[in-house]
């Protein structure tokens, strides 16, 4: 079975109960999350061999984060131990017209202070078929842009497929900083994933006829976005998630996968979702896409699987997408009524 390695930060997630605001909360729920960790959990749930690489503090909180990954079958043998702390993020769930909010407390985390010598990519990537990271990881600064580049160069030399979710986070770096850094990393990427705003934020490439802030999306305009990304960076495939936000509760959700060799884009079904928890939605798309492509699905089948997987994630509390292949395939085949299964 092909092995996938994901690399990034896992954090403790703290959120008020239900739809309480931060200023109302007198207690917080604890879970663990991070872009690349979320992808690894999705893949493990689908039966794939997935491992997560990071640096964690050698204390009970670091062990708890590691153990949560193990609980879902994610490999943790190549996690590096050391450094001062586990990153934390606080999540406040939005409701109706009130947006969700995230507050980070991750400065100075163990992974943010990691050095290039911490990671032996020759050892970590031995026997690996696929490597995944996101733009969040180099955004943490320090030596992480160089650490990511080290991994990507090894992958390129050893024909390991690389995927990357641009995942621009304005609270971590500026658009100019993101563009400069990611322009050095994306040429090594085979499968590039973005949402409807990432390409514009990071590379200034805009979908024609779309206004993300107003929720108006011209889906066909993103074919041009994918073509421009392929022309600039040489990616083999570009996937774009397309979210039309009607409210914090209700979104329209779809996706597009562009195949550079065929010069063709395939669009998924568009789902109308009533959201339980949207954080981790993009990561569940990435996990679904990687699984589908490794399984040899066609471009259309791959984007259908990825979007259906992510649609289901929006119905699940916390970041991890805890669904099975059969559940995803049932939705992708058109059974989305939500009727009780007896």
């Amino acid at each position: 079975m092909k092995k996938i390695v994901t690399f990034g930060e896992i954090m403790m997630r703290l959120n008020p109960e239900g739809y309480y605001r931060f200023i109302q909360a007198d207690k917080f729920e604890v879970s663990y999350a991070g872009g690349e960790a979320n992808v690894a959990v999705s893949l493990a749930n689908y039966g794939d061999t997935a491992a997560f690489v990071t640096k964690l503090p050698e204390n009970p909180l670091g062990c708890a984060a590691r153990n949560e990954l193990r609980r879902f079958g994610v490999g943790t043998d190549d996690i590096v131990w050391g450094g001062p702390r586990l990153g934390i993020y606080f999540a406040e769930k939005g409701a109706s017209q009130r947006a969700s909010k995230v507050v980070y407390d991750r400065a100075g985390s163990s992974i943010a202070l990691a050095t290039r010598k911490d990671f032996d990519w020759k050892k970590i990537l031995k026997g690996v078929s696929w490597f995944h990271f996101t733009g969040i990881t180099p955004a943490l600064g320090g030596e992480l842009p160089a650490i990511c580049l080290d991994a990507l160069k090894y992958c390129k030399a050893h024909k390991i497929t690389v995927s990357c979710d641009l995942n621009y986070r304005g609270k971590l770096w500026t658009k100019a900083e993101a563009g400069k850094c990611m322009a050095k990393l994306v040429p090594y990427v085979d499968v590039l994933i973005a949402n409807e705003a990432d390409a514009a934020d990071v590379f200034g490439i805009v979908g024609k006829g779309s206004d993300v802030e107003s929720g108006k999306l011209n889906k066909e305009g993103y074919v041009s976005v994918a073509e421009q990304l392929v022309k600039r960076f040489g990616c083999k495939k570009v996937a774009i998630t397309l979210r039309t936000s009607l409210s914090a509760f209700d979104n329209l959700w779809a996706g597009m996968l562009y195949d550079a060799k065929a010069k063709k884009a395939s669009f998924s079904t568009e789902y109308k979702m009533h959201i339980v928890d949207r954080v981790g939605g993009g990561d569940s798309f990435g996990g679904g896409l990687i699984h589908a492509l490794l399984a040899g699905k066609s471009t259309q089948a791959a984007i259908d699987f990825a979007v259906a997987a992510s649609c289901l994630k929006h119905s699940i509390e916390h970041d991890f997408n805890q669904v099975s292949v059969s559940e995803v395939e049932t939705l992708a085949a058109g059974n989305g009524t939500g009727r009780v299964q007896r």
Side-chain angles (χ1 to χ4, degrees), residues 91-276:
E92 177 186 287
K93 292 203 298 184
S96 191
Q97 279 66 48
R98 175 170 60 83
S100 298
K101 289 187 176 181
V102 168
V103 175
Y104 291 128
D105 178 17
R106 65 200 301 181
S109 67
S110 292
I111 185 64
L113 300 179
T115 64
R116 294 172 71 183
K117 66 181 181 181
D118 283 329
F119 301 97
D120 182 352
W121 292 113
K122 181 178 180 180
K123 173 180 174 291
I124 293 169
L125 296 174
K126 182 179 181 181
V128 170
S129 299
W130 195 294
F131 178 78
H132 178 78
F133 76 111
T134 78
I136 295 171
T137 301
L140 299 176
E143 295 188 26
L144 280 167
I147 293 169
C148 289
L149 187 58
D150 288 343
L152 297 180
K153 286 181 176 179
Y154 186 91
C155 289
K156 188 76 169 181
H158 294 84
K159 296 182 171 55
I160 298 170
T161 301
V162 173
S163 58
C164 173
D165 190 333
L166 283 178
N167 261 352
Y168 174 70
R169 296 291 184 267
K171 292 184 178 181
L172 297 179
W173 56 359
T174 67
K175 294 177 182 180
E177 289 170 334
K180 182 178 179 180
C181 179
M182 296 307 292
K184 297 176 182 178
L185 302 179
V186 175
Y188 294 89
V189 172
D190 300 293
V191 180
L192 184 63
I193 303 168
N195 66 25
E196 66 281 347
D198 285 335
D201 288 336
V202 179
F203 298 124
I205 299 174
V206 180
K208 296 178 181 177
S210 291
D211 182 349
V212 174
E213 292 303 319
S214 71
K216 178 185 176 183
L217 297 182
N218 173 22
K219 296 177 177 59
E220 293 295 337
Y222 288 95
V223 177
S224 172
V225 171
E227 290 172 340
Q228 292 177 68
L229 288 168
V230 167
K231 182 177 180 180
R232 182 169 174 182
F233 298 112
C235 306
K236 296 176 182 177
K237 297 182 188 296
V238 174
I240 298 178
T241 57
L242 301 167
R243 183 189 299 273
T244 301
S245 185
L246 307 177
S247 71
F249 279 137
D250 297 297
N251 288 184
L252 302 180
W253 183 247
M256 182 202 77
L257 181 59
Y258 182 82
D259 185 308
K261 184 176 181 180
K263 296 183 179 180
K264 181 181 178 181
S266 296
F267 286 84
S268 74
T269 296
E270 183 175 68
Y271 297 97
K272 183 175 182 179
M273 307 181 300
H274 188 74
I275 297 171
V276 171

